[in-house]
Amino acid sequence: MANYLPFEEPISLIEEEILKAKEIGANSGVSTSKMVKDLEKKLKTTTEDIFKNLTPWQRVQLSRHPDRPYTLDYINAITGGDFVELHGDRNVKDDKAMVGGFGTVDGQSIMFVGQQKGINTKMRQYRNFGMPNPEGYRKAMRLFRLAEKFNKPIVTFIDTPGAFPGLEAEERGQGEAIARNIYEMMNLKVPVICIIIGEGASGGALGIGVGDKVVMLENSWYSVISPENCSTILWRSWDYKEQAAEALKLTSTDMKALKIVDEVIKEPIGGAHRFKEEAFENVKKSILKNLTKLQKMDPDKRCEKRINKFCEMGVYKGK
Amino acid sequence: MGWFTRKKEGISTSTADKKETPEGLWYKCPKCKAVITTEEHKSNLHVCAVCNHHERISASDYFELLFDSTKGTEFARGITAADPLEFKDTKNYVDRIKSVQEKTGLKDAIRVAHGKMDGDVIVIAAMDFRFIGGSMGSVVGEKIARAIDKAIELEAPLIIISKSGGARMMEAGLSLMQMAKTSAKLNQLSEAKLPYISLLTDPTTGGVTASFAMLGDVNIAEPNALIAFAGPRVVKETIGRDLPEGFQYSEFVLEHGFLDLIVDRKDLKSKMSQLLRMLKLEKAQKEEE
Ligand SMILES: [Zn+2]
């Protein structure tokens, strides 16, 4: 069963009508094909209307849509299943909220790393809701180094509500783990592409988010805090999350305008969750296009350019 | 000047203001409740003589503490916050900035200066908690970037004194990127083989902990400073039970392997000079070869 967000309800209703019309046609022998066709047209325009004018908060909701593809969905689709997952940080444990491994795309090997969310209650807990512990970030760095050793490009998929704020996470240095990754990623000698596919919350996202190209899916968000937590802190109430989502300028359009991300990948109208194959294809195309360009550069020049890009971020007055 | 109102709350003041402190004013330690004169408290570097509680002090206090004779030469003073997001919560960000500037006399949550420490050239970036909780936005990021440029220019070591609630929400994604920016700049400092001492003071949390504060060649903390990624309140909510004694304070963080040492405020200058002397000694020998 598909899941629908409140603002997707009109879509849900038409889809139901279409199913009913088809059923009637099949059971009664009366032709409903014209009716189905009209309904499908209506479905298309309704979907377009809804998706043309999404508010920032609606995009946040879409980024968390339960049917939205997660990291391993992208990896499996893009590699056609030619992917070997690698585990563990060689230190403490294997963090299930961070996945990674080698896969091939169009005959070349790529190191894929990303936060992984679960598809049902049990798996959501198993994946710790996509919130890595320090081990997750250290596992990611181990895999980055492995890729660097064998001169393979790196693609990260970012989808996290944040780094896990637990007791053991603090004991084992969540701050240090993220800081180290940000610092070390600047100097990885292979091409690095980071793609925000869902939620890009704060340091937990940035911990695998330093790349030559940072790319956002259209209906993802990226910011220093979630709209809910921002609302709680600044408005002292959970109720201002919509305003907070507006104020934070966290959509792909805003982030591109602020030059924090380099590119926005269009999603099919209706969202990545409704037309997954198309979303996978768009992401794959973007990866290949960017890799072709990045692989032509001298590794030291590429690092220098990456460092300079981040050095220039920020807006201030005076000198 | 807002420093007067702050003074009444027992938060540290600039030297100029302290001279105006009326005689007979008392300081009560919030930790052990011991009472001493503010004069004595000041001569103790705002550290409780009874329980060693280190009171929060300002950027200029650290300059005074660490630089020889003068307070060093402050630079990049004209950099102030813009409002690229036109951020508004219950208050406009521009109004918030303006009122905090007026209240504290500070431009933003960090000051950068170069000068001499025990005779050697040094660059110091010191955060100030009074400015929106020492939060890091574009100004903090840019001033750290300038401090690193200055260290490279002067071939001098860098000390960053962290004291921050984390990234500044009102600059959202841009604040987040200051974590990347400062880390990128530290790569350049490292490339120049110049030492970076990170001094973590109470409190150092969030995006500052998850970037430059944890990236020192040497990480030093003042005693009993809160050092965390997620703050204690958030962690407590996550785990649903009380936190262990001392959780996320300097001694705890050192025991878990994330600090090189804890140094009392009165010993900071000599300890850092000693360390830098050792780092430099090796370099000098190489040059002689
Ligand atoms: Zn005391």
Side-chain angles (χ1 to χ4, degrees), chain A residues 165 170-175 179 183 186-187 202 222 224 233 235 247-249 310-311 313-319, chain B residues 78-81 85 87 89 138 142 167 169 172 177-178 180-181 185 187 190 210-211 229-230 238 248 252 256 258:
Chain A
E170 290 293 313
E171 283 181 340
R172 294 197 288 265
Q174 188 71 284
Y183 180 82
M186 295 284 171
N187 235 332
S202 199
Y222 194 16
V224 75
I233 294 170
W235 281 268
L248 287 168
K249 304 280 193 296
F310 285 99
C311 284
M313 287 190 183
V315 181
Y316 54 86
K317 293 188 294 193
K319 52 184 176 178
Chain B
I79 297 173
T80 56
L85 308 185
F87 195 94
D89 47 89
S138 298
E142 179 61 18
M169 245 176 290
M177 288 307 127
Q178 302 314 303
K181 175 171 176 165
K185 291 299 293 186
N187 268 278
S190 179
S211 59
F229 174 62
T238 307
Q248 297 181 316
F252 173 96
H256 283 87
F258 297 98

Side-chain angles (χ1 to χ4, degrees), chain A residues 252-271:
Chain A
S252 55
T253 321
D254 291 322
M255 293 299 271
K256 176 79 171 40
L258 290 164
K259 298 193 177 110
I260 292 172
V261 303
D262 301 292
E263 181 188 319
V264 176
I265 301 177
K266 277 276 180 198
E267 284 185 35
I269 292 162

Side-chain angles (χ1 to χ4, degrees), chain B residues 27-35 47-54:
Chain B
Y27 171 79
K28 188 177 176 189
C29 173
K31 217 179 151 203
C32 75
K33 313 293 176 205
V35 175
V47 175
C48 174
V50 177
C51 75
N52 203 31
H53 170 69
H54 281 55

Side-chain angles (χ1 to χ4, degrees), chain A residues 191-251:
Chain A
V192 184
I193 298 171
C194 307
I195 308 174
I196 299 131
I197 56 169
E199 297 190 88
S202 199
L206 188 60
I208 56 164
V210 174
D212 302 299
K213 292 284 173 198
V214 180
V215 176
M216 271 177 95
L217 250 71
E218 191 180 357
N219 298 317
S220 65
W221 68 271
Y222 194 16
S223 196
V224 75
I225 191 167
S226 73
E228 289 94 331
N229 286 337
C230 179
S231 167
T232 309
I233 294 170
L234 292 180
W235 281 268
R236 299 179 197 287
S237 148
W238 192 263
D239 301 333
Y240 295 85
K241 51 189 186 293
E242 279 148 344
Q243 273 116 303
E246 294 267 353
L248 287 168
K249 304 280 193 296
L250 45 60
T251 68

